[in-house]
Amino acid sequence: MSLKPKRVDFQETWLELKETVNAVITLGNVPRSTWNDRFTDVYSLCVAYPEPLADKLYLETRKFLDFHVKALLEKVKSSGDNNLLRTYYYAWTEYSQGINYLHRLYSYLNQQHIKKQKLSEAEIIYGNITPGDDEQMEIGELGLEIWKVDMIEPLESKLVKLLLEGIHQDRIGESQSSSSEIIKGVIHSFVGVQEYRKKDKLQLYKQIFEAPFLETTGEYYRREASKYLQECNVSQYMEKVTLRLNEESLRCHHFLHCSSYNAVRAKCEEEMVAGHLQFLHSECEAMVTEERKNDLKNMYPLLHAVHGGLSFLVNHVMLHIRQQGLNAVTDHYGENMHIQFVESMLSVHKKYKQLIQDVFQSDQAFMSALDKACSYVINHRPNSKMPCRSPELLAKYCDSLLKKSSKGLSESEIDDKLSNSITIFKYIDDKDVFQKFYSRMLARRLIHQQSQSMDAEEAMINRLKQACGYEFTNKLHRMFTDISVSNDLNNKFSTFLKHDNIDLGINFSIYVLQAGAWPLGQANITSFTLPQELVKSVQMFENFYHNHFSGRKLTWLHHLCQGELKLCYLKKPYIVTMQVFQMAILLLFETTNSLVCSELQSTLQLNSDQFNKYITSLVDCKLLLSSSESITADTTLTLNMEYSNKRTRLRITTAMQKESPQELEQTVTAVDEDRKLYLQAAIVRIMKSRKILRHNALIQEVLSQSKAFAPAISMIKKCIEALIDKQYIERTPNSSDEYSYVA
Amino acid sequence: RDRSVRTFYARMPSVGKTAETRIGKTVSDAKVNSLFDSYKDPHEDLILTEGIERLCADLSLSPDDFKVLILAWKLDAGQMCRFTRDEFVGGCRSLGVESVRAIKEKLPEIATQVASNPDVFKDLYRFTFRFGLDNTVGQRILPIETAVILWRLVFTVREPPILERWLRFLDKHRDVFRGVPRDTWNMFLNFSEAVGDDLSVYDDTEAWPSVFDDFVEFDNDQANQNISNKDKDSDCIVR
């Protein structure tokens, strides 16, 4: 066989070719050899000498296909309306497959002749050139185009009507399984017939089928919805709607082209959900307050799908959680208030977080509703005149966990509870207030060695740091390191003593604390004459310390110190741990058995408040006997030689370790002062870098910079005024709404 | 003839600075100095309370008259109840006056100018704050009592409709505020112009000193109380 162009008799070749074409298109039996010969014929015609016969071949083929399809149309039509879909479907199946083969038989024509004259893809998509009518198409495309024009267009309205009826039958459950394949096939033929197109492949499908389908679907479900509305309550309605939506979605997947899934769903939702939002919303509140999980589970996807449908539900969920939260945290009084507060708030948080996970698929909108509600509850002030107590309660809660004697909880349980408490911490607006309370309590734990475990303390500080940043926990960290540095210092001090052969006469250990980091007010400092027994220790330590760190000033906080005293004058010896002031009092009884208060006080130089307090504590624990009911200057105190106790090691406590109401108030005012300073510093910083700023812009900047607390606008304003007054900033001359930095 | 022209001009309402300076040239320093001497304190080179009282009497003005404030402003007095020689002589020169009579004639003229020109008034208004501070103790904030008096005085002309309510508010809260800082004083003029008679147009998100927030809130509370009281009254009548 030669590939050389040769003279070809068109008529003769075409007659032969046509026969094969007919066989191919009707899926008749075409032997391999015949196929090969005709394939060559197509080639020969295309390259025929003296002139190629490709155009002629194309025309004849088109004529043939045209004729063939028209014949098929007659056949389909004649089968009657009842069988129309079926016969169409079979004709299409045969034809579409046949045309596919034919396309391959004409490969040479397609590849060499037609492709060359075609516009490139880019030209079609980006240029505004539309292919002209007389442009030649590849055979496959040609065949489909002919099918579209000769078959689909004449039958269009009938086909679509029958399809819609068929689908309707399926919806009401009266379809035969055999017809569903046919319906699907017919629908897909609208897509298939344009699959060769480069753009708008789905144009025909969308135009002749999808649009009417959506319309009837909408109508159908509108009717269904109004039917349900009459006979159902909201829960039943939602169940039905959910069911119908799922069914329709399945149906859609079965029958339709995938491009339609979303549109169909949206249409159904529009008719059954969006159209009846008020009806659905009417029940939201009750569902939420009664926490009807099933209903809510049904409600969520329905409303979620509708634009703006969800916010109503979100808002009710928020209100509900808020109410539940308020119910849970109010009405706690007494000793364990802090534990009840934190734990009930946590359980509310946990419960609704779970609910949102289960019912609302952890939707972000609901999560932020939860946050909003929790933050409202936690920062809620029952009395607007009083500061919010949450920071204090949370700090107390942490304290109770970190202190020794936390009621038989295991280490991991404590750890869990502490990490949970961070959840509450994050919601607190006044984090600086929390910090103040926390540092006070931490100070007490550290100084009085009440910490359960230093690891737990450090872990908690690190958690706070993680949640609120380094600046926030800076002081806490410094307190913590002071303690460990002090341990080293004590070791060094005792080596120093050993080295210089100094005997203090007592065991002595000390904490050196940085004044800036510790919340130890100087308020409690009283004049005090150190007992002789302690003088040497104090002096030696001061010498030692000043040698190491010259220029540092040590202030002795005797009111925070304690000592152990061994009582040997009683029937059996007792070892008593007590405050240094109490010890100082008892040490004066070393040489005598009774003293008058005025003498005692003039020796010790304690102020009368403190003096009375410590005397009372010693009288209360029966180590001393008092000559009068109340302590006055003339009261004589006598050692109780009859003292006895079952335990030989004991500790005398005083009331001072409790947080007093004044201290509470002090904390609040201290926080307020800190805030003002912080805000003023922030304003100056901002103004220094911006030079000129409008009032509102400045306020916004300040708000965005303060993370540890939410400053009140009025407070920011007052700080701005204070700075104007101090001439750090001024109003610009041309606008009273603008400030400028005064360098 | 020369003289009659001068008096003619002096009686004319001021036509801006040219007129003043033209007359100013003719003011004799010696005369003004001797005028100062006639009121000056025997021990100090200052006109003090007693001298000011005499001056006011000669001007037939009460010492708390608005025109006295204008005089102080024109003399650029640094402090109440005291004129220094420099202030007095410099002020008289720029006013173009050298006698009590001339001052007496000049003051009403300036008063009309103050009343009609907002910028001139603003100058006087701002001066009044500085004037009120007691320099001897380094005061930077006007005590409420002084501030109230000065507000009344300076607003002898151009009194804003809100003034009485404002002063009543200050009076009720004199224990709460430590005084009136310069910014609040200055901004009150803007405030009074901004709100007019109607506090409902006040916007607390603007850059007003916070004391105006308090004032507006207080005023609203009062108004609400009045309404509820009225409601109660009408209820009674119905019954």
Side-chain angles (χ1 to χ4, degrees):
Chain A
M1 193 192 86
S2 155
L3 291 177
K4 220 173 127 187
K6 55 185 177 194
R7 219 172 264 280
V8 185
D9 177 357
F10 181 79
Q11 281 310 324
E12 193 187 320
T13 319
W14 169 241
L15 269 180
E16 259 183 305
L17 181 57
K18 193 162 115 180
E19 205 174 302
T20 311
V21 167
N22 193 33
V24 167
I25 203 86
T26 53
L27 305 183
N29 182 23
V30 180
R32 169 66 63 189
S33 58
T34 319
W35 173 274
N36 287 345
D37 289 347
R38 294 301 87 77
F39 191 90
T40 320
D41 284 346
V42 170
Y43 168 77
S44 318
L45 286 170
C46 289
V47 298
Y49 174 83
E51 51 181 322
L53 297 166
D55 288 340
K56 210 165 178 189
L57 172 64
Y58 181 82
L59 276 179
E60 285 300 328
T61 310
R62 190 165 81 181
K63 215 185 282 170
F64 170 79
L65 288 173
D66 207 35
F67 179 79
H68 177 71
V69 173
K70 280 192 171 130
L72 281 177
L73 173 68
E74 286 315 310
K75 209 173 118 196
V76 170
K77 265 186 180 165
S78 68
S79 64
D81 282 3
N82 281 340
N83 287 317
L84 189 73
L85 284 181
R86 184 182 304 273
T87 42
Y88 171 89
Y89 172 63
Y90 290 139
W92 163 253
T93 321
E94 185 188 276
Y95 182 79
S96 59
Q97 218 177 332
I99 203 72
N100 200 5
Y101 294 137
L102 193 66
H103 183 72
R104 285 186 229 164
L105 185 65
Y106 278 69
S107 270
Y108 188 81
L109 181 83
N110 292 338
Q111 301 290 325
Q112 298 303 317
H113 183 70
I114 294 171
K115 255 209 180 131
K116 273 181 199 150
Q117 23 168 318
K118 280 216 154 184
L119 294 164
S120 79
E121 209 165 312
E123 280 171 310
I124 296 175
I125 294 177
Y126 300 110
N128 277 331
I129 314 157
T130 39
D133 285 342
D134 52 347
E135 200 205 346
Q136 293 185 348
M137 292 178 265
E138 290 178 31
I139 293 305
E141 192 179 357
L142 175 72
L144 293 174
E145 184 63 24
I146 289 173
W147 180 269
K148 184 192 134 193
V149 175
D150 289 348
M151 180 65 94
I152 295 180
E153 282 174 7
L155 288 179
E156 182 189 313
S157 59
K158 247 183 203 166
L159 280 177
V160 171
K161 184 167 160 265
L162 289 169
L163 286 173
L164 295 177
E165 270 168 23
I167 291 176
H168 183 73
Q169 296 291 324
D170 188 70
R171 278 185 188 138
I172 58 175
E174 289 175 6
S175 72
Q176 297 90 15
S177 57
S178 62
S179 69
S180 85
E181 249 340 280
I182 293 171
I183 292 174
K184 178 182 175 180
V186 176
I187 292 172
H188 282 267
S189 79
F190 301 152
V191 180
V193 86
Q194 292 198 322
E195 71 185 352
Y196 281 95
R197 299 186 82 175
K198 298 237 159 52
K199 67 178 185 184
D200 294 339
K201 282 188 193 200
L202 298 171
Q203 178 259 332
L204 181 75
Y205 165 76
K206 282 204 186 304
Q207 181 198 328
I208 70 168
F209 177 72
E210 195 192 72
F213 174 74
L214 285 177
E215 194 176 319
T216 46
T217 305
E219 243 163 61
Y220 174 74
Y221 284 110
R222 193 175 320 140
R223 277 200 308 277
E224 290 295 290
S226 57
K227 203 170 76 196
Y228 291 149
L229 280 178
Q230 278 167 3
E231 56 199 28
C232 298
N233 62 27
V234 174
S235 340
Q236 292 163 328
Y237 181 80
M238 286 192 309
E239 269 168 32
K240 290 223 154 96
V241 167
T242 311
L243 195 67
R244 294 311 295 263
L245 280 175
N246 289 341
E247 274 176 14
E248 189 60 30
S249 170
L250 268 180
R251 185 170 297 121
C252 186
H253 276 74
H254 181 65
F255 288 131
L256 268 50
H257 185 253
C258 57
S259 67
S260 302
Y261 298 167
N262 287 335
V264 173
R265 185 153 188 114
K267 189 76 191 174
C268 297
E269 279 160 352
E270 183 190 320
E271 294 303 340
M272 294 196 285
V273 184
H276 305 290
L277 266 188
Q278 262 194 332
F279 173 68
L280 292 172
H281 282 168
S282 69
E283 201 52 24
C284 271
E285 188 174 350
M287 268 180 221
V288 172
T289 45
E290 290 159 33
E291 294 177 18
R292 281 152 35 192
K293 286 196 187 177
N294 255 341
D295 283 350
L296 291 171
K297 222 178 206 158
N298 285 334
M299 181 75 96
Y300 171 71
L302 295 184
L303 293 182
H304 182 69
V306 178
H307 179 75
L310 213 49
S311 59
F312 187 85
L313 180 61
V314 172
N315 191 36
H316 272 296
V317 169
M318 199 269 287
L319 290 175
H320 177 64
I321 301 177
R322 197 158 99 179
Q323 196 50 49
Q324 293 302 304
L326 287 177
N327 292 348
V329 300
T330 43
D331 296 334
H332 295 316
Y333 298 102
E335 277 291 285
N336 288 328
M337 179 175 175
H338 52 284
I339 298 177
Q340 287 169 336
F341 167 77
V342 175
E343 291 188 349
S344 26
M345 192 59 219
L346 276 174
S347 75
V348 167
H349 182 265
K350 191 173 157 198
K351 174 177 167 190
Y352 290 102
K353 194 172 171 191
Q354 190 64 45
L355 183 101
I356 290 170
Q357 264 166 18
D358 294 348
V359 176
F360 303 125
Q361 301 167 17
S362 299
D363 187 304
Q364 203 45 49
F366 288 94
M367 283 306 198
S368 63
L370 173 68
D371 287 346
K372 232 160 124 187
C374 288
S375 145
Y376 178 89
V377 173
I378 288 172
N379 296 300
H380 178 68
R381 289 195 271 175
N383 178 347
S384 60
K385 295 268 160 41
M386 298 276 284
C388 174
R389 290 202 65 193
S390 308
E392 180 200 346
L393 294 175
L394 183 64
K396 267 194 182 157
Y397 180 73
C398 297
D399 186 53
S400 71
L401 290 171
L402 288 163
K403 242 197 245 174
K404 275 177 194 165
S405 86
S406 49
K407 292 148 209 127
L409 290 169
S410 77
E411 223 165 273
S412 68
E413 275 173 311
I414 291 178
D415 201 56
D416 284 349
K417 278 171 185 278
L418 285 172
S419 8
N420 287 338
S421 68
I422 292 291
T423 310
I424 306 279
F425 171 74
K426 283 183 178 158
Y427 287 119
I428 283 183
D429 278 344
D430 301 333
K431 295 198 172 60
D432 53 345
V433 178
F434 170 83
Q435 194 236 34
K436 277 267 167 357
F437 280 108
Y438 191 88
S439 70
R440 267 167 194 275
M441 293 172 196
L442 174 64
R444 207 156 49 215
R445 290 197 298 274
L446 292 178
I447 292 174
H448 300 289
Q449 291 156 354
Q450 288 172 328
S451 281
Q452 173 97 326
S453 114
M454 291 309 255
D455 289 345
E457 291 282 5
E458 194 170 15
M460 187 61 193
I461 295 176
N462 283 331
R463 282 192 197 102
L464 293 173
K465 179 168 147 190
Q466 214 166 32
C468 208
Y470 170 76
E471 209 181 330
F472 183 77
T473 49
N474 186 12
K475 285 187 177 177
L476 304 181
H477 270 296
R478 276 161 64 194
M479 288 163 69
F480 200 76
T481 42
D482 273 356
I483 296 297
S484 52
V485 168
S486 293
N487 286 337
D488 282 355
L489 206 62
N490 278 319
N491 289 337
K492 281 191 192 144
F493 182 52
S494 59
T495 10
F496 158 79
L497 291 178
K498 246 185 228 150
H499 183 263
D500 286 13
N501 264 329
I502 301 168
D503 183 17
L504 299 177
I506 57 168
N507 282 326
F508 178 81
S509 88
I510 194 159
Y511 290 130
V512 179
L513 314 175
Q514 306 175 54
W518 290 73
L520 303 169
Q522 312 270 307
N524 283 327
I525 291 185
T526 154
S527 52
F528 175 53
T529 314
L530 212 57
Q532 202 49 49
E533 289 82 350
L534 297 178
V535 170
K536 190 173 177 191
S537 309
V538 168
Q539 268 175 2
M540 288 323 297
F541 185 79
E542 282 188 341
N543 289 345
F544 162 79
Y545 192 78
H546 288 289
N547 281 340
H548 272 74
F549 310 98
S550 62
R552 287 197 192 170
K553 189 177 165 232
L554 285 176
T555 307
W556 293 85
L557 302 177
H558 293 297
H559 64 283
L560 295 174
C561 298
Q562 59 181 24
E564 267 181 7
L565 209 58
K566 193 170 178 190
L567 309 181
C568 301
Y569 58 91
L570 297 164
K571 281 185 192 109
K572 51 181 180 178
Y574 293 95
I575 294 175
V576 190
T577 309
M578 62 183 82
Q579 306 272 307
V580 162
F581 292 154
Q582 291 165 331
M583 189 155 80
I585 296 168
L586 284 181
L587 284 171
L588 293 178
F589 288 86
E590 183 85 9
T591 48
T592 171
N593 283 354
S594 69
L595 282 164
V596 183
C597 274
S598 52
E599 273 178 64
L600 264 172
Q601 194 175 354
S602 66
T603 320
L604 292 174
Q605 291 295 321
L606 279 174
N607 70 28
S608 24
D609 250 15
Q610 302 270 343
F611 179 74
N612 277 356
K613 192 164 95 183
Y614 290 109
I615 293 288
T616 314
S617 69
L618 289 170
V619 172
D620 283 351
C621 72
K622 304 208 169 65
L623 281 172
L624 292 178
L625 298 174
S626 149
S627 67
S628 60
E629 195 68 12
S630 61
I631 310 290
T632 63
D634 303 329
T635 308
T636 312
L637 296 165
T638 324
L639 267 188
N640 180 7
M641 304 305 279
E642 304 298 313
Y643 182 83
S644 82
N645 197 320
K646 268 182 265 171
R647 292 158 57 181
T648 53
R649 260 187 174 278
L650 44 123
R651 170 186 288 271
I652 310 174
T653 48
T654 45
M656 82 152 286
Q657 287 183 27
K658 285 247 186 297
E659 185 102 2
S660 65
Q662 288 133 307
E663 275 183 85
L664 224 159
E665 213 168 279
Q666 276 169 19
T667 308
V668 172
T669 43
V671 165
D672 243 28
E673 282 311 307
D674 283 358
R675 284 182 179 189
K676 279 183 193 149
L677 290 179
Y678 177 88
L679 289 176
Q680 292 191 7
I683 294 169
V684 170
R685 243 188 348 259
I686 293 166
M687 290 306 297
K688 194 171 179 181
S689 69
R690 300 296 205 85
K691 299 293 181 255
I692 288 182
L693 207 57
R694 297 198 76 83
H695 175 75
N696 283 327
L698 177 59
I699 299 259
Q700 285 312 317
E701 283 265 338
V702 173
L703 285 177
S704 71
Q705 285 202 7
S706 44
K707 289 198 194 74
F709 63 100
I713 304 286
S714 62
M715 191 186 245
I716 302 179
K717 264 176 124 173
K718 289 215 167 81
C719 290
I720 293 177
E721 283 160 42
L723 290 171
I724 292 180
D725 215 36
K726 292 186 204 160
Q727 298 180 340
Y728 280 93
I729 57 176
E730 61 187 11
R731 290 178 198 269
T732 55
N734 41 3
S735 163
S736 55
D737 201 31
E738 205 173 51
Y739 308 109
S740 67
Y741 180 68
V742 180
Chain B
R1 188 172 161 238
D2 196 30
R3 226 188 132 155
S4 67
V5 171
R6 206 185 306 153
T7 42
F8 171 76
Y9 272 117
R11 280 192 195 132
M12 284 280 286
S14 163
V15 213
K17 274 196 175 150
T18 43
E20 277 179 58
T21 43
R22 196 188 314 159
I23 299 161
K25 272 180 202 159
T26 66
V27 171
S28 130
D29 277 7
K31 279 191 186 169
V32 178
N33 270 311
S34 70
L35 188 62
F36 179 83
D37 290 333
S38 64
Y39 293 108
K40 123 179 162 61
D41 187 81
H43 310 294
E44 282 180 88
D45 199 25
L46 297 166
I47 300 180
L48 294 177
T49 317
E50 178 268 341
I52 289 176
E53 275 170 8
R54 269 196 295 125
L55 176 63
C56 291
D58 292 347
L59 290 167
S60 347
L61 293 172
S62 144
D64 58 1
D65 194 286
F66 178 58
K67 293 198 190 78
V68 179
L69 177 66
I70 288 187
L71 180 65
W73 168 53
K74 279 294 159 188
L75 300 186
D76 199 20
Q79 197 182 325
M80 280 195 282
C81 307
R82 200 186 74 171
F83 292 127
T84 65
R85 184 179 290 274
D86 284 353
E87 287 166 4
F88 192 85
V89 174
C92 284
R93 197 185 297 138
S94 73
L95 279 177
V97 293
E98 51 191 27
S99 67
V100 169
R101 212 180 120 209
I103 297 174
K104 203 171 168 180
E105 280 167 3
K106 193 83 188 171
L107 287 178
E109 182 190 306
I110 303 172
T112 23
Q113 213 181 357
V114 167
S116 60
N117 187 333
D119 290 333
V120 178
F121 179 76
K122 189 171 171 184
D123 198 39
L124 168 69
Y125 180 82
R126 296 205 161 186
F127 161 81
T128 308
F129 179 82
R130 190 159 27 99
F131 181 59
L133 293 178
D134 187 349
N135 285 341
T136 51
V137 293
Q139 224 172 35
R140 292 180 49 219
I141 289 177
L142 274 188
I144 298 276
E145 290 78 8
T146 321
V148 169
I149 292 168
L150 287 176
W151 256 314
R152 283 231 162 79
L153 183 59
V154 74
F155 282 124
T156 305
V157 295
R158 305 180 71 84
E159 181 182 328
I162 206 71
L163 182 69
E164 279 311 314
R165 277 144 88 187
W166 166 245
L167 296 181
R168 208 178 318 134
F169 162 76
L170 284 183
D171 195 52
K172 285 217 167 155
H173 296 83
R174 60 174 69 219
D175 305 332
V176 188
F177 301 121
R178 52 196 184 110
V180 179
R182 179 189 302 274
D183 188 53
T184 305
W185 176 274
N186 288 347
M187 290 303 286
F188 178 72
L189 189 60
N190 301 35
F191 172 76
S192 68
E193 283 162 7
V195 298
D197 192 21
D198 181 11
L199 287 183
S200 67
V201 302
Y202 178 74
D203 181 356
D204 65 2
T205 63
E206 285 172 21
W208 299 113
S210 58
V211 64
F212 296 150
D213 295 353
D214 299 341
F215 168 51
V216 173
E217 194 184 331
F218 169 80
D219 196 81
N220 284 341
D221 286 354
Q222 296 261 305
N224 290 340
Q225 259 173 24
N226 287 344
I227 289 168
S228 52
N229 283 343
K230 264 183 215 158
D231 284 352
K232 274 179 213 154
D233 292 348
S234 58
D235 277 354
C236 294
I237 295 163
V238 172
R239 276 174 210 149

